Amino acid sequence: MKISFLPKTRSGKWSVVLFAAYAVLVAASKFVSEIQNNTIEYPNPFNSPLLGSLLYLTFFASFMASVIGLFAVFKKGERSILVFLAIPNLIYIMIYSTIFQ
């Protein structure tokens, strides 16, 4: 299969959509943190409902974009640049959580 910029498979498209949602959620989390003058070191949905929920959704969107992207590449044969860009987030999350546990 030829390498393209946009994904062709359904799972590849989902991976790109979730990666775009991740980017939007990162910006929204930063904006909400600045608006609330966040002083909580580790916000979660219990002590800071809005910011904590946004952070958890950001993590989930990034994780799912990477997992679905891996599925699209290995099972469906997707060869899209955007899908390949969505996959390294999972590796970053795994390394970060291993080092800073």
Side-chain angles (χ1 to χ4, degrees), residues 40-99:
I40 302 170
E41 188 173 358
Y42 299 111
N44 60 45
F46 297 111
N47 60 15
S48 178
L50 181 59
L51 182 59
S53 298
L54 278 173
L55 290 174
Y56 277 72
L57 283 173
T58 302
F59 173 77
F60 184 71
S62 173
F63 179 78
M64 290 307 295
S66 298
V67 169
I68 292 173
L70 284 172
F71 176 77
V73 168
F74 289 114
K75 294 289 184 182
K76 301 293 184 177
E78 180 68 60
R79 298 292 179 255
S80 168
I81 293 172
L82 290 178
V83 174
F84 288 141
L85 289 175
I87 293 173
N89 278 336
L90 179 64
I91 297 166
Y92 173 75
I93 290 169
M94 291 171 62
I95 291 171
Y96 185 81
S97 64
T98 302
I99 291 173

Side-chain angles (χ1 to χ4, degrees), residues 10-31:
R10 186 179 213 183
S11 54
K13 291 175 184 175
W14 267 105
S15 176
V16 171
V17 166
L18 285 170
F19 186 71
Y22 158 74
V24 170
L25 286 168
V26 166
S29 297
K30 183 175 177 168
F31 178 73

